[in-house]
Structures are given as C-alpha cells and as structure tokens.
Amino acid sequence: QSALTQPPSASGSPAQSVTISCTGTSSDIGSYNYVSWYQHHPGKAPKLLIYDVTKRPSGVPDRFSGSKSGNTASLTVSGLQAEDEADYYCSSFAGNSNYVFGTGTRVTVL
Amino acid sequence: QVQLVESGGGLVKPGGSLRLSCAASGFKFSDFYMRWIRQAPGKGLEWISYITSDRTTFYGDSVKGRFSISRDNAKKSLYLQMDSLRAEDTAVYYCVREYFYRFDLWGQGTLVTVSS
C-alpha cells in the first residue's frame, strides 16, 4: 500500500499559519474518518496531535486543527511558535487493521 | 508516568538476530493493542507488527516469517524478535500504543542497524 503524500517542507514566520496537506486514496482517507496527525521532534517520541480527522487530545493546543475533504486531509498550525518546528506525519486507517502513513513534512519556523 | 521505553537496538550483521523490548508504565498495559512501527533513514513510518490484548498477532508483508511479536502483560512488556535481518531492516523502531484508530503513545525509539 502506497504512503500518503505530504509536501516535504513547509514554513512560516512566528504568529503566522501553515497548512500541511496529506493526500491518499478512496481506500484510506476517502473511506474512513480515522485520520490522525503526529508531531515528531527528532530524537524524541512522536506525539499525537489530531485524531478522527478533527479531534485534539487533552493537552494539545487549539492552534492545531485538522480537516478533510475527499481523499485529502489537512493539518493547520495557527500562531506558529518556535517549538512547532518539527516533522509532521499523517496517518489513515485503511481497513483490516491496516494503517498507512504520510511521507512526512518538515515545518520550519522562520 | 505514562510512557513506553524501548531497548535492545544495536548493530547486527545481515542474517543475524536481535530482540527488542518495550517497557510500559503508568497505564493498564493488558488493555491495549500494541504495535511496532519503524522508520528507515530518510523514509516514512511503517507499521510492521501488532498484537492484540489477547495476544493475537499480525505482521506486515515486509517482515512476515522473520519477525515475531509477543507480550508479557504481567511484566507490562512488549517484545519483537527479529531474525534473518536484512540491510533494509535498518531503522528506528518505535513501540506504540494503539487506541481506537489512533496511536496515542509512542516510545522514543531504538535504532537497529544491519550492516556487515
């Protein structure tokens, strides 16, 4: 199963917003509302940011938001902060206990 | 403290074996499905194996027949026995808790390098 497609990089100045896309197919993102997003600072444990397309776990700032349209999901980081500089990965359920991950996006805060 | 801590990574020759361990703390380990997810250098994430709370196991095609996942609920530990290792198995291996279609707790990962 092919990986979900994300842009390799994205950037923005502090306080600006950045949106990361995650494109899949009708077999994964298009079929299920089980898209999740993860933040990964290299060397640390990845952290769940968004699940079920739009939901945030307790403790995740509301600057992070998710959406989906068709076969594409998106993560928006509003009010960028220096600590948001990290790698971001999307994931989608793809049926039969199978999950597919995105290729990853490196976010740089200028 | 709710956390997962992996250990057991290292350098191994092609064809060799390695056993990874993951120690869970701060939650009821036996209630959760657990997965091993890896990230090869410069590549994305790939789930390779998971085990249900009642010890049913599943494997990705890339490791089927070579890797074996197990758990000891009394010790709150997850394991991955890796045999017949190949260069393409070189990756950081993460122990991950699965909860209703999301991976809500990750360890920091342990690096496995397969090289002669």
Side-chain angles (χ1 to χ4, degrees):
Chain A
Q1 194 144 13
S2 298
L4 306 174
T5 301
Q6 298 179 233
S9 63
S11 62
S13 299
Q16 287 188 333
S17 295
V18 65
T19 296
I20 302 166
S21 62
C22 171
T23 302
T25 70
S26 58
S27 297
D28 38 65
I29 292 177
S31 289
Y32 305 98
N33 288 321
Y34 296 129
V35 175
S36 51
W37 289 88
Y38 304 88
Q39 179 190 59
H40 186 207
H41 290 101
K44 295 194 174 183
K47 175 185 175 183
L48 175 65
L49 285 180
I50 297 287
Y51 66 97
D52 295 353
V53 179
T54 62
K55 298 176 183 176
R56 279 178 289 106
S58 173
V60 173
D62 59 6
R63 303 186 294 105
F64 295 92
S65 61
S67 63
K68 187 186 97 166
S69 177
N71 296 338
T72 297
S74 297
L75 172 72
T76 297
V77 185
S78 305
L80 267 174
Q81 298 181 5
E83 59 262 36
D84 298 334
E85 189 160 290
D87 296 324
Y88 292 82
Y89 294 90
C90 59
S91 175
S92 174
F93 181 66
N96 293 320
S97 296
N98 188 31
Y99 292 83
V100 61
F101 290 94
T103 49
T105 298
R106 172 67 57 90
V107 169
T108 301
V109 181
L110 302 171
Chain B
Q1 184 179 2
V2 177
Q3 64 178 2
L4 298 167
V5 179
E6 303 95 336
S7 60
L11 175 63
V12 61
K13 289 181 168 53
S17 298
L18 212 55
R19 189 191 195 213
L20 305 184
S21 299
C22 169
S25 59
F27 65 97
K28 192 175 180 187
F29 178 74
S30 58
D31 283 353
F32 292 87
Y33 286 24
M34 297 296 297
R35 289 200 186 224
W36 286 100
I37 293 173
R38 70 183 180 184
Q39 184 173 30
K43 303 281 190 178
L45 297 163
E46 175 195 18
W47 78 267
I48 55 170
S49 182
Y50 78 92
I51 185 167
T52 67
S53 47
D54 64 357
R55 295 187 174 84
T56 304
T57 60
F58 298 85
Y59 300 93
D61 290 341
S62 61
V63 305
K64 201 172 294 183
R66 300 187 299 122
F67 289 12
S68 177
I69 189 172
S70 61
R71 65 191 298 163
D72 185 331
N73 288 336
K75 293 184 178 179
K76 302 183 76 171
S77 292
L78 179 72
Y79 306 101
L80 185 68
Q81 178 65 40
M82 304 186 294
D83 298 321
S84 303
L85 282 161
R86 308 166 179 166
E88 54 265 36
D89 296 318
T90 294
V92 176
Y93 286 73
Y94 296 98
C95 169
V96 183
R97 185 176 79 177
E98 181 176 345
Y99 183 69
F100 286 105
Y101 304 102
R102 60 203 188 251
F103 304 115
D104 70 338
L105 183 66
W106 297 62
Q108 288 192 300
T110 187
L111 176 62
V112 172
T113 303
V114 184
S115 175
S116 54

